[in-house]
Every structure is written in C-alpha cells, then in structure tokens.
Amino acid sequence: MADETREFPRRTVVSAVGAGAVGGLAGCLGGDSGGSVDESAPTITHERFGKGETPLTYQTSTFYTPIEEQSDQPAAAPALKEQHEAWAENHPDYRIDVKYPAFGQWKNNLLTSAAEGNAPDGSTLDSKWVADFYEYLQPLNDYVDDIDDFFPFVRETAVRDGDLLAAWKYTGCRCLYYRQDVLDTYNDGDPPTTWEELLTVGQEIDAGEEMDAFMFPTSSALTNLPYFWSAGGELLDDSGAPVLGEDANRQALVDALSFVRDLVDTGVTPQRVASIEEVEFLPREGRAGNLAMFVGNNDQIERNIKNPIEADDGVPDDRWERWKVAKIPRPADGEHTTGVGGWTEGTFRSSDDGAADAMKSFIAKFVEPESMGRYCESAALLPTRESVFDDEELYDPDTPYQDRFREFLQDGVARPPRPIYSTIASEYVIAIENVVTDQADPESAAETMITNVADEYDAS
C-alpha cells in the first residue's frame, strides 16, 4: 500500500517506505487447532473469538485484534471486543479461530487458497483487493441491511450483480488544508475551488508572505489522482483494462500533469516538493508557519495539527483552529473528486448451513451502524454509511470537521480494485516527479506512463 497513509494505520515498529508506505501485519499465526474451549477461558482472546465447539477460520491484522495489549490500534480494541462478544453470545455453538498473516504474502496466499478451494471462512481485505476475489466472495445481502446507505464509492466497488460481496467498514479521504487567516488576506476568506484560482491566489501568497503557498505529497498516487479524475479521466474500463490511451483520458492526464507543472513554474509550489517523502512533513510545515495550503488526509487535522499544537506549551491551544479544510481544487469545467480507501471484510463460506450463517453474521457485524460508529469513533476513522454520521449516540468523535469530510465522501473515488492499479499508481508518481523536477514535459511524461502501463498489462 505504498500510496495510502490511512487506509491501513501504519505500524509504529516498522519503517515506512515512501510518504504513505504501510508496515506489514503481524507475522505470527495464531488460532486453536480444534476441540473444545475450557469453560473458564475468556470469551474473546487474541487468537479466538467465542467458545463454541465448531471452529471457523479467519484472517486479519493485529490492527484489528480486540485485545488492547496486542493491538497496533489499542484505542479501537474495546469497540471490537464488544462487537465480537455480541456475536459470540448470539452464536454459542461457534468460535472464530484467528490467524494474523504477514502482510507481504497475505493477498497472494489468499488468492491461491481461494482458487484451490481452501480459503479461510472469512478474511479482512484491502478495498483494492476486492475485485480480485469477486468470484470467491459470498453475498452478504441477507445479513447487511440498507445497502443504499453506503456511500456511492462503496456500492461501486463492493456490489456486483446486486450482491454485496464485501463489508467496507471504514474509510478516509483527501482534502485541501488551508490557513483561514492567510486566505482572509488574499482571497476574501474563501479557499480556492479551481486550478486557476489556486494558481492566482498562490502567486499572491508567494509574493506577499514568507511561506510556501501550496504543496502536496508527490509520492502518493491516491492523493494526486483527483487532479486526473476531476479533469474527466478514467483509468480502466469495465473489464479492468487500462484506457489511459483513449483521447479523453490522455488529455485528462496531460491536463493534470500540466497543472502540476504550472504550480512549480509560477512559484506556487517549490520544486523541492518532489523530495518530500514523510507524511507528517506538510502539516509540520503548516504548524511552523511555513505553508499556507496543502493536500492531506482527513485524519491529519487531529493527528498532525490539533494534537501537536495543544501539546505544545509554547503555542496557544486554539492556534490549530486557523486551519480549515475544503475540497481539492478542480478544473473550471470539472467536478470535485477525492481519493478514498479503507479496509473491508468478506466471507468465502459458500454453504448455507449454520456455519455459513455464523460467519456471515460475524462479517456483517462490522458494518452494522452501531459497530461501525463505535469503531470509527475510537479509531478516528470515517464511517462508510451516511446514516452513522447522523446519530451522535453511534458516532460523535472529538475530531474537527466531520461534517465536511462527510460532504467530501460524496465525491469519493476508490482506487480501481484491479491488479494493474499498482502499476498505474507507481507510473503516475514517476510522471509527477519527472514533471516537477523538469525531467519531462507533461505530454512526454503522459506518453511514457501510458506506454508503460499498457506494456505491463499486456505482459500480465
């Protein structure tokens, strides 16, 4: 997941690779091999959920263990424990035996086992993996209520032929961060909504302030794909084949890269943006007063702006409030878009017996409004159901701008859940960096990207 920073929270014990790299999952493999569970044993453990005689198999990450001491996301563990306890109470004859595979081999091994008919009963899945498992995942329609309540990007990815095949349990989005006090001076307080406006306002800030006007993480494809999407571009057709070479998509790619080049040529964005790899760099520059606007992830307002400011005795606690969020600027004739990610749950149990019922109930519980709200609140993540935002008893995080992020999710575009996306993402990052550093003009960078993606697809 070299292009995501919050789809999967990063392990603090693993070094990141690039701006949005994600550490691996726990390499330990756990789970009971069979037989009964001692009556005095706890209902929920790291390697077992429930105490029933009949075991079900399940793979997930240590970010999603319900045991705080063994979790890489301990704040969310109590919500998961409560969720699993409720499932275990309703399914006393069953238990979930849990394994925590190493991330690097997880997807490929799971695909192999699914193709051989040996998949686990259930598994956590990155949202961009879902399409690779369409033929193996089992419908959840009878277990998940109100599928239309999910944001459009969820339905576009997780629903096929009317069947909900994956329970998308949380998400995140990208947005424009801006200094309200700076924009009060240079744009009547309004954030720029178009590329042209960003270039105009950015040049005024660059000339009038001792700070950079606008920056973005060049090493994150998902953060920068909104430029392409809002210009009307599409990456793949319905069959999963790349269509960057089609005239409209080629032009959208050239337009997006030309906008990036204009940012640098006008001085709105410094060329050194190409060398920034650390996710926290841009909000840190913002806190230090060196940056007026940047594109970042929704969780950074709390994690990288509000919390550090409130923890700094030398800075007034309310200083973070001058930072606001807005939609990512678009072409004048384009639509706002934002990249979304997140993780899902799915089941491979194809029978219609009690075990399949128990497994589907377990998976569905992740997207019940109550479970989703409590988990997302504790983990500082965004729900994928619109209704959860409306119920303060379910979801009332002490995090700024939740209503704005909900609005942004309406424009959410998910990473295409196809294997070729990885090549597209890496080639897009290279194209952007080459344009920023003036190693290639937008047209030639676009042509190189189109050719490399097509060659990789044809060879696969």
Side-chain angles (χ1 to χ4, degrees), residues 23 30 43 57 97 112 136 196 252 264 311 314 318 370 378 384:
T43 301
T57 55
D97 287 347
T112 299
Y136 309 114
E196 294 82 356
V264 177
D318 61 356
E370 182 175 354
S378 62
T384 57

Side-chain angles (χ1 to χ4, degrees), residues 43-63:
T43 301
I44 305 297
T45 71
H46 179 58
E47 298 177 341
R48 175 183 46 74
F49 309 155
K51 298 165 64 174
E53 292 281 344
T54 303
L56 299 168
T57 55
Y58 174 65
Q59 295 181 359
T60 192
S61 155
T62 50
F63 282 94

Side-chain angles (χ1 to χ4, degrees), residues 216-234:
F216 55 93
T218 57
S219 59
S220 169
L222 189 59
T223 301
N224 295 296
L225 275 169
Y227 304 146
F228 170 77
W229 287 324
S230 64
E234 294 184 3

